[in-house]
Amino acid sequence: MGQQEKVSTSLAGAVAEDISASLAPVDAELARRYPGDPGTRQPVHTVYVPGDAYDAGTIRSWGDQALAALDEHAPDAATLARVLGLPADLAEPVYTRVRAKLEREPVEDLRVDFEDGYHGRDEDADAARAARLVSEAYAGGTAAPYTGIRMKCMEAAVRDRGIRTTDVFLTGLTEHGGLPGGLVLTLPKVTYPEQVTAFVRLLEAFEKTHGLDAGRIGFEIQIETSQAILAADGTATVARMIGAAEGRATGLHYGTFDYSACLGVSAAHQASDHPAADHAKAIMQVAAAGTGVRVSDGSTNVLPVGGTERVHEAWRLHYGLTRRALARAYYQGWDMHPGHLPTRYAAVFAFYREGMEAAAARLAAYVARTEGDIMDEPATAKALSGYLLRGLDCGALDDAEVAGLTGLTRAELDAFARPRRGGLTATAR
């Protein structure tokens, strides 16, 4: 044992105490505004179905139509791999899991649409019917993990209608067994933070009326206008919108076509990989980082319908856009047609399976504090465990294979992915 070094200090303990006291408001603000990831499952997509078309068989119908598209246009793993450019070693496991997913859980997040996609004549009746059907689906175990509605926005022309539909739907849920755990509301075409505040007041009034816990009902903010990204005074509006939600915001959803049109992008170039879309989503991503609010990409309007060649072309486009979004940490998107489901899940499953072994090895090395080709930081360990957890949640990976590769339980992965502020430990909660 060597000689122990003498440790000396020059400052009185009161100095540190004074500094801590001066930063106490900042500490509280950090904890309030940046609580970190909520630790819940994030769906890989949101499916929109018009409120006048939604019925008890919608989810199963989407799954069956997607399976039929596979049977017709990619009846085996080799065909799908050739169309999408999947590596040979991923072809069979991805194809098998895609089919299983479409049979078991074809839709992860369903939004009954009473905004742009709605063309019914009796919105009250359709909203009440949607509430009943959603309640019955949850009671019967056939609901998507997440389900809710998109109402009309808070702009003057449609505000009263949006408020009433929200009221009818939520009231119907309470009358048919209560609000389900997977309830999600989407507020579209937000341009000013004050519109978010107004929606918060609406939800507060509903909660108070029905004796619900304050903050029980959260919602997503849909980013579809330029004013949602940059305000008239040059400030980043989306960050202010998150604050205006007073802790109720659960997601920021990019609206590909409305936002593109708002900026004057011609119809032929309105797509989720347009530079204007990349700029908007980058602002959304930075504003949401650390707040617990998730960011979702938009959709493609190129539908996989028609002959096999046309379907394959649309599948390649959708697969590529989905993979592009995943690489940019947009882990959710919109799917507008049952034919998009095969490529949504193929892209998601390939993304997680091709990186599973490397991520697991790096995380296991971090846990063991061993050196490999890459020396990882605690933040990277958090990202690695989050990657594996998302793969588990959607069905791309299995608990047993991840545990075998990492030596970690699901609870331990959760602890790494969602550490306490100020440090990362395998037992953090």
Side-chain angles (χ1 to χ4, degrees):
M1 298 291 291
Q3 182 178 356
Q4 188 173 358
E5 292 291 339
K6 177 183 177 182
V7 177
S8 302
T9 62
S10 301
L11 302 177
V15 174
E17 293 174 3
D18 288 345
I19 290 173
S20 292
S22 71
L23 289 176
V26 172
D27 294 338
E29 185 75 350
L30 279 171
R32 183 180 71 84
R33 288 188 177 273
Y34 302 101
D37 190 87
T40 56
R41 173 182 179 182
Q42 181 180 11
V44 302
H45 69 170
T46 301
V47 163
Y48 278 79
V49 176
D52 50 324
Y54 171 64
D55 60 35
T58 291
I59 292 177
R60 187 61 266 151
S61 174
W62 273 60
D64 290 343
Q65 290 179 68
L67 285 166
L70 273 181
D71 289 339
E72 181 176 357
H73 304 295
D76 52 53
T79 302
L80 188 66
R82 184 173 65 253
V83 172
L84 303 181
L86 289 172
D89 61 323
L90 286 180
E92 193 61 45
V94 166
Y95 189 81
T96 300
R97 286 170 185 270
V98 167
R99 293 197 68 95
K101 182 75 169 181
L102 295 176
E103 292 168 355
R104 176 179 56 83
E105 187 183 72
V107 175
E108 291 197 356
D109 185 26
L110 176 68
R111 205 69 72 250
V112 184
D113 191 15
F114 289 96
E115 203 230 355
D116 286 347
Y118 179 72
H119 303 290
R121 297 184 178 182
D122 190 344
E123 191 162 335
D124 277 357
D126 287 336
R129 182 173 58 88
R132 175 178 57 81
L133 292 174
V134 167
S135 296
E136 291 173 355
Y138 274 104
T142 60
Y146 298 94
T147 306
I149 64 168
R150 177 172 71 170
M151 68 295 295
K152 291 177 175 62
C153 69
M154 298 299 284
E155 293 179 356
V158 295
R159 182 184 304 138
D160 288 347
R161 182 64 261 178
I163 291 172
R164 182 172 177 85
T165 295
T166 303
D167 187 8
V168 170
F169 179 72
L170 293 177
T171 299
L173 291 178
T174 63
E175 292 175 345
H176 293 287
L179 305 183
L183 174 66
V184 186
L185 304 178
T186 304
L187 180 65
K189 293 183 175 60
V190 183
T191 54
Y192 281 78
E194 290 81 0
Q195 294 169 330
V196 175
T197 299
F199 197 62
V200 169
R201 300 288 91 81
L202 171 64
L203 298 180
E204 284 178 341
F206 186 89
E207 289 166 348
K208 184 176 181 180
T209 298
H210 289 273
L212 300 172
D213 292 339
R216 164 66 180 83
I217 308 171
F219 61 95
E220 302 163 337
I221 300 170
Q222 201 163 350
I223 305 301
E224 301 179 88
T225 67
S226 61
Q227 296 92 341
I229 295 297
L230 191 69
D233 62 0
T235 58
T237 322
V238 67
R240 293 166 56 199
M241 289 177 178
I242 293 174
E246 300 177 18
R248 293 177 185 264
T250 59
L252 299 173
H253 283 230
Y254 176 68
T256 304
F257 305 105
D258 281 297
Y259 186 85
S260 298
C262 182
L263 267 62
V265 178
S266 62
H269 297 281
Q270 293 177 0
S272 62
D273 58 352
H274 190 279
D278 285 341
H279 172 261
K281 286 180 286 189
I283 298 296
M284 292 162 60
Q285 189 174 49
V286 172
T291 65
V293 178
R294 273 81 174 260
V295 175
S296 173
D297 199 0
S299 61
T300 176
N301 61 358
V302 179
L303 304 184
V305 296
T308 294
E309 184 176 349
R310 184 183 179 97
V311 169
H312 285 179
E313 183 179 352
W315 274 354
R316 279 190 289 269
L317 173 65
H318 185 242
Y319 178 86
L321 290 174
T322 303
R323 288 300 305 261
R324 184 180 189 272
L326 290 167
R328 286 158 175 76
Y330 308 133
Y331 299 115
Q332 185 175 354
W334 296 5
D335 288 327
M336 309 303 290
H337 187 274
H340 285 141
L341 299 185
T343 38
R344 169 68 61 182
Y345 291 124
V348 170
F349 292 172
F351 176 75
Y352 290 114
R353 292 204 66 79
E354 70 186 16
M356 173 183 61
E357 292 188 4
R362 287 175 64 180
L363 185 57
Y366 177 86
V367 173
R369 298 294 193 274
T370 59
E371 295 187 12
D373 295 335
I374 303 174
M375 179 64 77
D376 286 318
E377 297 292 332
T380 303
K382 175 181 176 180
L384 291 167
S385 55
Y387 171 90
L388 295 171
L389 285 168
R390 285 190 295 273
L392 289 169
D393 284 341
C394 69
L397 312 177
D398 295 330
D399 286 325
E401 61 184 346
V402 171
L405 290 168
T406 63
L408 300 173
T409 65
R410 173 66 188 247
E412 289 169 331
L413 286 174
D414 280 329
F416 273 107
R418 293 172 260 277
R420 294 171 302 208
R421 179 174 294 282
L424 182 65
T425 67
T427 58
R429 274 307 198 190

